[in-house]
Amino acid sequence: MAASAGPEIERLISLLAKLPGLGPRSARRAALALLKRREQLLVPLAASLAETAEKVVSCSVCGAPDTRDPCAICSDGSRDNGLICVVEEAGALWAMERSGAFRGKYHVLGGLLSALDGVGPEHLRVTELVGRVRGGGVREVVLALPATVDGQTTAHYVAERIAGPDVEITSLARGVPVGGELDWLDDGTIVQALRARRPA
Amino acid sequence: MAASAGPEIERLISLLAKLPGLGPRSARRAALALLKRREQLLVPLAASLAETAEKVVSCSVCGAPDTRDPCAICSDGSRDNGLICVVEEAGALWAMERSGAFRGKYHVLGGLLSALDGVGPEHLRVTELVGRVRGGGVREVVLALPATVDGQTTAHYVAERIAGPDVEITSLARGVPVGGELDWLDDGTIVQALRARRPA
């Protein structure tokens, strides 16, 4: 496009367009919204990003982003050290925390194995997980990885690496989601829900 | 949600969610992408926003955002001073510039009249436009406002305010867009295209 708005705005638009969920067009709209709401949005967002860049680090134990290391969850003495939930990214960790159902610790892999995207075991935090499990005191590792091909490939690989006599390896149950109508569910989910049926 | 990621990240997510095109969920995904790509995305975006906040101002002549005042277009001596194109926002100005078909100057209103949203003439840069037209030398004002109710209300109002013996007021043509198939066009567009038909 013609650089009618000057290189600064062009650069802002091209950076915004790299965010997931924003394309070139919506990035331009977002830049416009930022310029229109300078004091309410542009200045606070710039400050918030700078603060995040400066203060947020990856927890050296679990890999989750936080302002302290070890992170708030890893330093929480009231949580069960013997139970580790393995997730792909911090987004999954936040979702688990919102559910309020898990009181153990986490381990963030930082991605999934993917031959297509060239992601191998060396790109994930698997060795760190093996170290935590071998370190002792871990009774159970819950694999909370996506129900996709890459997710399941990764789950198999992780399970193999951490397998040992003293540790139980489990994964999240498959079945009909809350509010799920059978009409709208894919066949794979119905097959799994039927196979795992239980007394009503 | 549980503040498992700390207040800094929560604040970043809530600011990102205010951008058009991003909701609470996609803002969380965007924050995650920023944390994952710290050097490639988070740090440059923070710097770009800070630079934009610091350097970009509204042109005192046309209202467009730029790093200099008057803006690059208003200071461009090769463009026709006698021709002013009135747009709602800078986004429309950028779209006109991309088309490469306009070589006059612009005037950014900063919005549209809207009884529902409580936007009155005092919120728009209409008086500034009247001043530019009355200042002399303006032959034609092209109203390039959206083909919506608010857009047309605003166009009528602006036309009334700037009307004078020496200035022609025009608006963008209505009709079938390039690539537009009649099957998929709304009736209003077909009616307008038929009314404005011309020799083939």
Side-chain angles (χ1 to χ4, degrees):
Chain A
M1 67 176 282
S4 59
E8 291 82 5
I9 298 178
E10 288 307 312
R11 179 164 166 70
L12 176 60
I13 292 172
S14 74
L15 284 168
L16 287 170
K18 289 184 184 169
L19 292 176
L22 289 183
R25 246 165 207 279
S26 44
R28 211 172 295 137
R29 273 210 309 148
L32 211 56
L34 287 162
L35 287 167
K36 263 208 108 166
R37 304 178 59 199
R38 181 181 291 258
E39 295 310 320
Q40 305 95 314
L41 197 49
L42 175 56
V43 174
L45 184 57
S48 168
L49 285 165
E51 191 182 18
T52 302
E54 188 198 346
K55 290 195 188 163
V56 175
V57 294
S58 280
C59 171
S60 56
V61 179
C62 74
D66 200 347
T67 43
R68 48 176 170 155
D69 182 16
C71 73
I73 293 176
C74 283
S75 348
D76 184 345
S78 74
R79 299 183 73 123
D80 185 351
N81 267 319
L83 185 60
I84 295 182
C85 177
V86 177
V87 293
E88 176 190 359
E89 292 291 357
L93 187 160
W94 298 339
M96 290 287 295
E97 285 298 288
R98 284 197 300 280
S99 80
F102 185 74
R103 293 298 300 167
K105 304 287 174 94
Y106 290 94
H107 194 85
V108 179
L109 288 180
L112 296 177
L113 294 179
S114 167
L116 266 178
D117 298 336
V119 181
E122 70 278 14
H123 298 107
L124 306 181
R125 302 182 64 258
V126 181
T127 307
E128 289 87 338
L129 176 63
V130 174
R132 288 176 75 182
V133 174
R134 294 281 171 277
V138 176
R139 296 185 318 279
E140 180 181 348
V141 176
V142 185
L143 302 176
L145 296 171
T148 60
V149 172
D150 285 350
Q152 293 316 295
T153 307
T154 310
H156 281 296
Y157 176 79
V158 170
E160 231 167 60
R161 287 283 303 274
I162 58 177
D166 302 326
V167 62
E168 192 181 359
I169 303 170
T170 58
S171 61
L172 293 185
R174 298 296 162 70
V176 180
V178 172
E181 305 218 37
L182 290 190
D183 254 16
W184 298 96
L185 280 178
D186 63 298
D187 296 350
T189 300
I190 293 181
V191 169
Q192 299 218 18
L194 192 59
R195 279 198 196 137
R197 67 188 179 278
R198 47 185 202 173
Chain B
M1 65 176 284
S4 60
E8 291 82 4
I9 298 179
E10 287 308 312
R11 177 161 167 70
L12 177 60
I13 291 172
S14 73
L15 283 167
L16 287 170
K18 289 184 185 169
L19 291 177
L22 290 182
R25 245 166 207 277
S26 44
R28 211 174 292 137
R29 273 210 309 147
L32 212 55
L34 286 163
L35 288 168
K36 261 208 109 168
R37 303 179 57 201
R38 181 181 290 259
E39 295 310 320
Q40 303 96 313
L41 197 48
L42 174 56
V43 174
L45 184 57
S48 169
L49 284 165
E51 191 182 20
T52 302
E54 188 198 346
K55 290 194 188 167
V56 174
V57 294
S58 280
C59 171
S60 56
V61 180
C62 75
D66 200 347
T67 43
R68 45 177 173 155
D69 183 16
C71 73
I73 293 176
C74 283
S75 348
D76 184 346
S78 75
R79 299 183 73 122
D80 186 351
N81 267 318
L83 185 59
I84 295 181
C85 177
V86 177
V87 293
E88 176 190 359
E89 291 292 356
L93 186 160
W94 299 340
M96 290 288 294
E97 284 298 287
R98 283 196 301 279
S99 80
F102 186 74
R103 294 297 300 168
K105 304 286 173 94
Y106 290 94
H107 194 85
V108 179
L109 288 180
L112 296 176
L113 294 179
S114 167
L116 265 178
D117 298 336
V119 181
E122 70 279 12
H123 298 107
L124 306 181
R125 300 181 66 258
V126 180
T127 308
E128 289 87 338
L129 176 63
V130 174
R132 288 176 75 182
V133 173
R134 293 280 172 275
V138 176
R139 297 185 317 279
E140 181 181 347
V141 176
V142 185
L143 302 175
L145 297 170
T148 59
V149 171
D150 286 348
Q152 294 316 293
T153 307
T154 310
H156 280 295
Y157 175 79
V158 170
E160 232 167 60
R161 288 281 306 271
I162 61 177
D166 301 327
V167 61
E168 193 181 0
I169 303 171
T170 60
S171 62
L172 293 185
R174 299 294 164 71
V176 181
V178 172
E181 303 218 39
L182 291 190
D183 254 17
W184 298 94
L185 281 178
D186 63 300
D187 296 349
T189 300
I190 292 182
V191 168
Q192 299 218 19
L194 191 60
R195 279 198 197 135
R197 67 189 179 278
R198 44 184 205 175

